[in-house]
Amino acid sequence: MFDDIFERVQGLFSEWIVHSDDRTKYTIEDFDYSTGVIAEVVYPHCDKCVAVNKCYFKNELDKKPQEKLHYNCHCVQTPIDKPNENDVKVIMPYRKMIYLFDKKYGWLEAMGYNYDDIEEVEYLLKSLSYIEYSRGNYESILHNKYGWKVNIPIDFPGKREKEGRVYKIKSCYMIFPYGKLKCNTPIGGWVNESF
């Protein structure tokens, strides 16, 4: 009992936490993205709790789920070391890059990139995103059975004739267990000043 209390007190003051429900084996990774967490499969556990099970969050009120999301919630937030860039993995299905170059090519072209740069753009988006996430620089957008959605602001460098310029864009992700980020939208828009 005292260990549990000690962990909770530590969690209040740590910079990063892991949000966990050790009474279920399920995480968001056990479900297809098209369905999200299926409540009937995880019952008696909550689909929203399972959607953030084992996920890492900056320990700030607006950047993490609340403990005791509902009556009889088993979630606990325990302190973890601040993730570094090596601890974070970005999952970016290749179809996301195809979509980006198909639907937002004008944006990329305006920043000095072309179709030959698809691998470089993917590398930049992934590396800049995990650096900012590991700094706790993200904006929480939504929490539902599909997970915890965040926007991550990144300073995207220009290329060719735009070299030396920096474009303040946001990339959209779902926070996944154990320091993983799954890309929803590689470039979701411009960063506004409220970020």
Side-chain angles (χ1 to χ4, degrees):
M1 182 171 117
F2 291 111
D3 288 342
D4 185 47
I5 293 170
F6 181 69
E7 277 190 357
R8 285 176 183 261
V9 170
Q10 272 189 311
L12 291 173
F13 300 105
S14 65
E15 193 174 346
W16 281 80
I17 55 94
V18 58
H19 191 93
S20 301
D21 178 356
D22 291 334
R23 296 187 187 186
T24 182
K25 65 179 182 175
Y26 294 108
T27 71
I28 189 69
E29 290 183 298
D30 293 311
F31 299 90
D32 189 79
Y33 191 72
S34 65
T35 65
V37 176
I38 301 169
E40 294 79 18
V41 172
V42 301
Y43 183 83
H45 301 279
C46 165
D47 53 356
K48 286 177 71 173
C49 288
V50 171
V52 293
N53 192 22
K54 310 296 185 217
C55 293
Y56 300 168
F57 297 95
K58 177 83 167 146
N59 194 11
E60 292 178 8
L61 191 60
D62 61 340
K63 294 192 177 194
K64 67 176 186 172
Q66 299 309 300
E67 285 186 284
K68 307 303 174 197
L69 293 171
H70 54 84
Y71 176 73
N72 206 24
C73 177
H74 307 119
C75 295
V76 176
Q77 294 178 355
T78 53
I80 59 171
D81 290 335
K82 176 182 175 183
N84 65 46
E85 296 147 22
N86 297 324
D87 297 327
V88 179
K89 179 182 178 194
V90 176
I91 303 164
M92 187 171 302
Y94 192 70
R95 70 182 183 280
K96 297 290 184 180
M97 293 308 299
I98 299 300
Y99 170 85
L100 175 64
F101 273 77
D102 183 41
K103 300 295 183 186
K104 296 188 178 175
Y105 185 71
W107 284 44
L108 295 165
E109 196 173 39
M111 294 186 277
Y113 294 87
N114 63 40
Y115 287 107
D116 294 333
D117 301 317
I118 192 167
E119 289 179 5
E120 180 181 359
V121 169
E122 179 180 5
Y123 171 79
L124 285 168
L125 287 168
K126 289 167 75 171
S127 61
L128 294 170
S129 293
Y130 70 65
I131 288 169
E132 293 303 324
Y133 169 74
S134 67
R135 292 177 179 162
N137 191 14
Y138 62 86
E139 174 186 34
S140 298
I141 302 300
L142 179 69
H143 177 203
N144 59 22
K145 71 176 187 169
Y146 296 98
W148 190 275
K149 185 177 182 178
V150 297
N151 281 335
I152 299 177
I154 57 177
D155 291 343
F156 199 79
K159 189 174 178 175
R160 294 183 180 85
E161 71 280 358
K162 302 299 176 99
E163 189 170 344
R165 292 197 61 184
V166 173
Y167 299 89
K168 296 191 174 296
I169 61 174
K170 58 186 170 185
S171 198
C172 181
Y173 294 88
M174 301 304 275
I175 294 180
F176 265 40
Y178 306 108
K180 289 180 264 194
L181 299 170
K182 183 171 182 187
C183 184
N184 284 351
T185 309
I187 297 178
W190 301 109
V191 172
N192 60 32
E193 294 304 317
S194 66
F195 227 112

